[in-house]
Amino acid sequence: MKEKISKLVNVYKKNGFLGFCKKLYAYVVANYFNKISLDVLLRPDHYRAEIKKMLEDDDYDRIVLWRSSFGYNVPLYQRPQHISRNLAKNRCLVLYEVTTMTDKVKTLQKRHDNLWLFNFNNLALTRLLMEALDQTRVPKYVQLYSTDWKLSVQDIGMYMRSGYGFIYEYIDHISPELAGTSSLPVNITQKYDYVMSCDDAFVVVTADLLMQDVISKRGTKRLAYSSNGVDYGFFQKFEENFEFDDAFQQILSRGKPVVCYYGALATWFDYDLVKKIAATGKYSVVLFGIKYDESFDENLPEPVENLYFLGPRDYHVLKYYARAADVLMIPFRITDITRSTNPVKVFEYMALHKPIVTTDMNECHKYDSILIGESHADFLEKLDRAMSLRQDPEYLALLDREARENDWSYKARAIIDMIRTGEQ
């Protein structure tokens, strides 16, 4: 309960009173009223038939239940959607848990071949699904993020006793900042402790420091490195005559080179650095994304010349804005979180063939195309260097090669290769 109250406080800070009321109403409906579905209770045979058809019509070798509350239809596609989509392309039937606040799926809905959106919060529907899955003979898995705070160790234990494999994606340093709470939810810490002492769990890590942590506690058994990646093909396709909104068009009309960041604006974002970039007067500094916590308003209470916050853009149009920039950046403070962060956006930046400047994050040192600023002064120098590389053919070829090498298809394959060892 304490964690939920902390989460609600953060929602209030980010969205104001009216926004808080709307989200609270949606949360209550989704997590309480929608647990009981009269339609499923009144028409169980109809939904049994739908589930049976799903299990019979798709072509797959294994079933994966994605059980973390990360909506599928959100403005920014992240690792959950990409990994699930690519697992589906590799003969996994994926049932992706929706959040009804964002996905509006009360029962189940086919999204792609082998990928279904499923409302596990609908208790009657979930019971019908589990009854049907009990009759299947293909390997079955439950997969979730290390940051998931809904499922408990007891829930995972019930799955494993029923014959499911458990895939634990260790994606970030375990911290309350990422959970959006004042202290770590018990379910997060208990699942972490359980996994580190459970040889039967499959563990996926996204960064070297996370891998070192796992190896120190449970060795290399059932362990796979699968960093974040990019849908390379998506970032090569652009429609002609795309029109920017007025706010961005006005920034472009000022004629200054655009240095851009998109993503969460949170405590790990280096607000002092972006203010220094703006203060040079050389660039228009553009930030797209969401205020993940109150840090933006605390650090930027007043407008700053040459610095523009334009809010979020949908994943499908964001690439147009990023492509219009001269340099793409990741100005994160170096903390326990960012030391073990493998940013999705850096691979998208590569695929857009734009010079990249980041702060001194461990994972960024792996890629030759990234210019790393080891201090604020060095970051400003690297921006100047990046500007000179905008049309450099060798550098652009390097960006393209590293983007191709980090397509999401390879990241999903690493997971499949790992779990296949347990199926032999």
Side-chain angles (χ1 to χ4, degrees), residues 26-95:
Y27 177 84
V28 170
V29 170
N31 288 278
Y32 296 97
F33 295 129
N34 286 350
K35 280 182 179 287
I36 302 173
S37 172
L38 290 178
D39 189 43
V40 177
L41 291 173
L42 293 174
R43 298 195 300 156
D45 290 342
H46 168 78
Y47 287 99
R48 282 194 186 94
E50 282 205 21
I51 292 170
K52 181 180 179 182
K53 188 173 188 299
M54 173 187 70
L55 295 175
E56 291 179 348
D57 286 359
D58 282 308
D59 188 18
Y60 54 91
D61 297 326
R62 57 190 61 81
I63 297 171
V64 177
L65 309 185
W66 168 259
R67 292 300 318 268
S68 282
S69 297
F70 192 103
Y72 196 89
N73 298 308
V74 293
L76 291 178
Y77 274 30
Q78 292 290 315
R79 182 181 178 91
Q81 296 98 321
H82 288 297
I83 288 292
S84 296
R85 182 78 179 96
N86 280 276
L87 289 177
K89 289 179 180 179
N90 284 275
R91 299 186 60 78
C92 296
L93 176 62
V94 180
L95 277 63

Side-chain angles (χ1 to χ4, degrees), residues 306-319:
N306 300 318
L307 179 58
Y308 309 93
F309 171 61
L310 299 185
R313 295 294 183 277
D314 187 88
Y315 174 76
H316 294 90
V317 302
L318 181 60
K319 62 183 180 180

Side-chain angles (χ1 to χ4, degrees), residues 167-179:
I167 305 172
Y168 180 83
E169 288 208 52
Y170 189 13
I171 59 163
D172 279 307
H173 174 71
I174 301 294
S175 68
E177 291 96 329
L178 287 169

Side-chain angles (χ1 to χ4, degrees), residues 220-283:
T220 59
K221 183 180 179 182
R222 297 193 170 191
L223 174 63
Y225 176 82
S226 171
S227 72
N228 288 319
V230 62
D231 182 349
Y232 177 85
F234 172 78
F235 282 90
Q236 306 310 305
K237 298 175 183 176
F238 292 87
E239 297 178 3
E240 295 183 4
N241 304 319
F242 178 83
E243 294 185 3
F244 297 115
D245 54 55
D246 290 343
F248 189 68
Q249 192 61 57
Q250 288 178 12
I251 294 169
L252 294 179
S253 68
R254 289 179 168 85
K256 292 184 178 181
V258 173
V259 176
C260 177
Y261 164 86
Y262 62 75
L265 294 155
T267 55
W268 54 84
F269 190 84
D270 196 333
Y271 296 97
D272 289 337
L273 176 55
V274 295
K275 285 188 280 190
K276 287 181 181 180
I277 299 170
T280 67
K282 296 178 180 179
Y283 310 105

Side-chain angles (χ1 to χ4, degrees), residues 183-368:
S183 60
L184 271 173
V186 172
N187 280 346
I188 290 180
T189 55
Q190 286 185 344
K191 285 200 294 288
Y192 170 84
D193 292 338
Y194 174 76
V195 167
M196 294 308 155
S197 62
C198 177
D199 289 342
D200 291 333
F202 295 95
V203 182
V204 179
V205 294
T206 58
D208 284 348
L209 285 179
L210 303 179
M211 176 170 278
Q212 293 169 18
D213 181 43
V214 175
I215 292 174
S216 71
K217 292 180 172 65
R218 47 165 283 166
T220 59
K221 183 180 179 182
R222 297 193 170 191
L223 174 63
Y225 176 82
S226 171
S227 72
N228 288 319
V230 62
D231 182 349
Y232 177 85
F234 172 78
F235 282 90
Q236 306 310 305
K237 298 175 183 176
F238 292 87
E239 297 178 3
E240 295 183 4
N241 304 319
F242 178 83
E243 294 185 3
F244 297 115
D245 54 55
D246 290 343
F248 189 68
Q249 192 61 57
Q250 288 178 12
I251 294 169
L252 294 179
S253 68
R254 289 179 168 85
K256 292 184 178 181
V258 173
V259 176
C260 177
Y261 164 86
Y262 62 75
L265 294 155
T267 55
W268 54 84
F269 190 84
D270 196 333
Y271 296 97
D272 289 337
L273 176 55
V274 295
K275 285 188 280 190
K276 287 181 181 180
I277 299 170
T280 67
K282 296 178 180 179
Y283 310 105
S284 291
V285 181
V286 179
L287 311 177
F288 292 105
I290 60 169
K291 298 178 183 179
Y292 191 76
D293 51 35
E294 64 271 18
S295 63
F296 181 93
D297 294 323
E298 291 176 349
N299 286 275
L300 295 169
E302 302 292 338
V304 173
E305 187 177 4
N306 300 318
L307 179 58
Y308 309 93
F309 171 61
L310 299 185
R313 295 294 183 277
D314 187 88
Y315 174 76
H316 294 90
V317 302
L318 181 60
K319 62 183 180 180
Y320 291 90
Y321 291 87
R323 187 179 65 157
D326 294 278
V327 177
L328 297 171
M329 65 172 176
I330 305 181
F332 287 171
R333 295 170 48 242
I334 304 305
T335 67
D336 287 341
I337 292 174
T338 57
R339 285 189 188 94
S340 55
T341 292
N342 185 269
V344 172
K345 62 183 66 64
V346 77
F347 305 108
E348 297 174 350
Y349 291 178
M350 291 173 185
L352 288 165
H353 302 153
K354 293 292 178 179
I356 305 167
V357 182
T358 75
T359 47
D360 194 14
M361 291 180 284
N362 292 12
E363 291 292 304
C364 290
H365 283 275
K366 295 178 178 180
Y367 309 104
D368 294 333

